[in-house]
Amino acid sequence: MNSEIAVATGSRKNAVARVSIKPGTGKIEINERQPLKYLCRQNLVTLAFAPLFEAKLAGRLDVSVRVKGGGLSGQAGAMRLALARALVKYEPQLKGALKDAGFLTRDPRMVERKKYGMVKARKRFQFSKR
């Protein structure tokens, strides 16, 4: 294992996350706050840090995250991608396992733009025959 810091970025929707990992006691912080305090929901915390558990490095690395933009769900997805990329930089032989689990693929889905003459992107105004 390397004894240096690995830094990577990830994005999802309009959120961008920058993750740095280093050997330590397993301390995790997002924007200088506890993960559950920041993301508010346990399922988002589980989603964001799934690559750590897949790599079986959960208690051995300190993770520091800076995230901005988007909502909580997009930020959790951005953290997941950034953490997976940082783990590959830190430990290159993890690439196969993380790729098979789908953690190294950026989710390309974005919000569809609103079209003129419609309420939202696809929802139309109510039709009235008379």
Side-chain angles (χ1 to χ4, degrees):
M1 278 209 200
N2 299 332
S3 61
E4 58 196 44
I5 297 174
V7 179
T9 61
S11 59
R12 164 92 168 91
K13 296 185 182 180
N14 286 326
V16 179
R18 188 166 173 268
V19 171
S20 62
I21 58 174
K22 62 182 180 180
T25 59
K27 189 176 106 181
I28 298 173
E29 60 180 24
I30 304 170
N31 292 351
E32 283 89 40
R33 291 162 65 183
Q34 295 296 318
L36 196 55
K37 294 263 190 206
Y38 186 82
L39 291 173
C40 302
R41 296 195 299 269
Q42 183 60 45
N43 64 333
L44 291 179
V45 175
T46 306
L47 174 86
F49 297 104
L52 264 183
F53 297 106
E54 179 71 27
K56 297 175 179 61
L57 294 171
R60 297 188 285 173
L61 294 176
D62 288 344
V63 180
S64 177
V65 182
R66 298 292 298 173
V67 65
K68 61 182 178 180
L72 292 180
S73 178
Q75 287 184 351
M79 283 184 249
R80 183 174 97 154
L81 179 61
L83 182 59
R85 287 177 175 172
L87 285 170
V88 168
K89 279 186 182 178
Y90 182 77
E91 195 74 53
Q93 61 260 30
L94 291 174
K95 185 174 183 176
L98 293 175
K99 190 173 176 99
D100 290 343
F103 295 133
L104 292 175
T105 306
R106 190 210 183 274
D107 194 343
R109 296 177 294 173
M110 296 293 286
V111 176
E112 191 173 344
R113 78 173 193 87
K114 182 193 177 301
K115 280 84 169 184
Y116 58 88
M118 296 193 181
V119 178
K120 297 194 296 185
R122 297 188 181 194
K123 184 179 180 182
R124 297 196 157 103
F125 291 110
Q126 185 173 359
F127 175 74
S128 173
K129 197 168 194 174
R130 288 180 189 88

